[in-house]
Amino acid sequence: MIRVLVVDDHPVVRSGLIGMLAATDDITVVGEAGDGQEAVAMVESTRPDVVLMDLRMPRMDGVAATGAIVPEYPSTRVLVLTTYDTDTEILHAVEAGAAGYLLKDTPHAELLNGVRAAARGETVLAPPVAARLMSRLRTPAPSAAAQPSPRELEVLAAVARGLSNAEIGRELFIGEATVKTHLQRLFAKLDVDDRTRAVTVAIERGLLPSPGR
């Protein structure tokens, strides 16, 4: 039997997935969790073969949970199941160690086969996701021109301190529209789509100091 842990912050979605998985002869659901933090604890207690992992959840998201689970429990495979198929979401999940990435509109039969394939140690990718990854791999590495400018990093450092666009503008003596322009350029250069992720990626790359330093 393939032991599966279902992780999703929507109870109705969890129930639907559990019902579908439980109807098979070779898959058993050993637990469910409503966020990444619960998922990490449940993996410790249930030791599933596959974790069916949502991405955007409260407290700890699916990427962070995947990054916590994979190194500690190498025999457990994390299979992402989400509605999001942006380059950023896909890459972060793969970099965290996900064994596969499926979308929630995947037909039931394909989802079940994906769980089985993940349990066998295979990589499972929805066709649109595979296409995006291949396109990304063919894209040249960013040039020096794509690196954030000193001014952009000043703006991002202020974001990291919790300042609003208006507050950043007053502090740096620039207009709020200019602040927004700097942030839009930063998002493109760092390949992110929100302020929080921009700060996180900048810290990971050493462009900003870690909190407390």
Side-chain angles (χ1 to χ4, degrees):
M1 295 289 286
I2 300 170
R3 297 165 55 81
V4 178
L5 171 65
V6 177
V7 185
D8 197 292
D9 63 329
H10 293 96
V12 172
V13 174
R14 285 203 311 274
S15 296
L17 289 171
I18 290 169
M20 179 186 65
L21 295 168
T24 65
D25 296 328
D26 59 338
I27 297 173
T28 182
V29 177
V30 296
E32 59 179 292
D35 60 57
Q37 193 169 315
E38 288 182 10
V40 174
M42 289 292 293
V43 168
E44 167 64 30
S45 61
T46 63
R47 301 301 174 97
D49 300 305
V50 177
V51 178
L52 206 53
M53 180 78 75
D54 191 17
L55 280 187
R56 296 191 182 180
M57 298 179 291
R59 294 208 297 174
M60 178 186 285
D61 65 20
V63 171
T66 299
I69 292 168
V70 172
E72 289 294 320
Y73 308 97
S75 62
T76 294
R77 307 277 287 177
V78 176
L79 178 58
V80 170
L81 181 65
T82 181
T83 57
Y84 304 101
D85 65 348
T86 66
D87 290 359
T88 301
E89 302 277 0
I90 295 166
L91 287 172
H92 291 163
V94 172
E95 288 168 356
Y101 197 112
L102 295 176
L103 303 177
K104 287 184 177 177
D105 61 0
T106 299
H108 287 186
E110 290 182 23
L111 175 56
L112 294 173
N113 286 334
V115 170
R116 296 178 180 115
R120 292 194 298 267
E122 299 173 14
T123 299
V124 183
L125 295 174
V129 173
R132 283 182 176 276
L133 280 176
M134 290 303 296
S135 175
R136 185 59 179 256
L137 289 172
R138 296 190 189 103
T139 302
S143 64
Q147 297 302 311
S149 69
R151 191 56 153 178
E152 289 166 350
L153 289 177
E154 277 188 293
V155 170
L156 192 56
V159 170
R161 285 163 33 219
L163 273 61
S164 67
N165 288 356
E167 291 168 332
I168 295 170
R170 288 195 294 270
E171 181 173 291
L172 300 180
F173 302 102
I174 57 178
E176 189 171 348
T178 302
V179 174
K180 291 179 180 178
T181 298
H182 284 313
L183 287 174
Q184 288 169 354
R185 289 173 179 168
L186 272 165
F187 290 175
K189 290 178 179 180
L190 298 177
D191 190 24
V192 299
D193 50 19
D194 62 66
R195 297 159 70 97
T196 301
R197 188 62 193 167
V199 171
T200 302
V201 170
I203 291 172
E204 290 172 352
R205 295 186 184 179
L207 299 173
L208 289 180
S210 299
R213 293 181 59 185

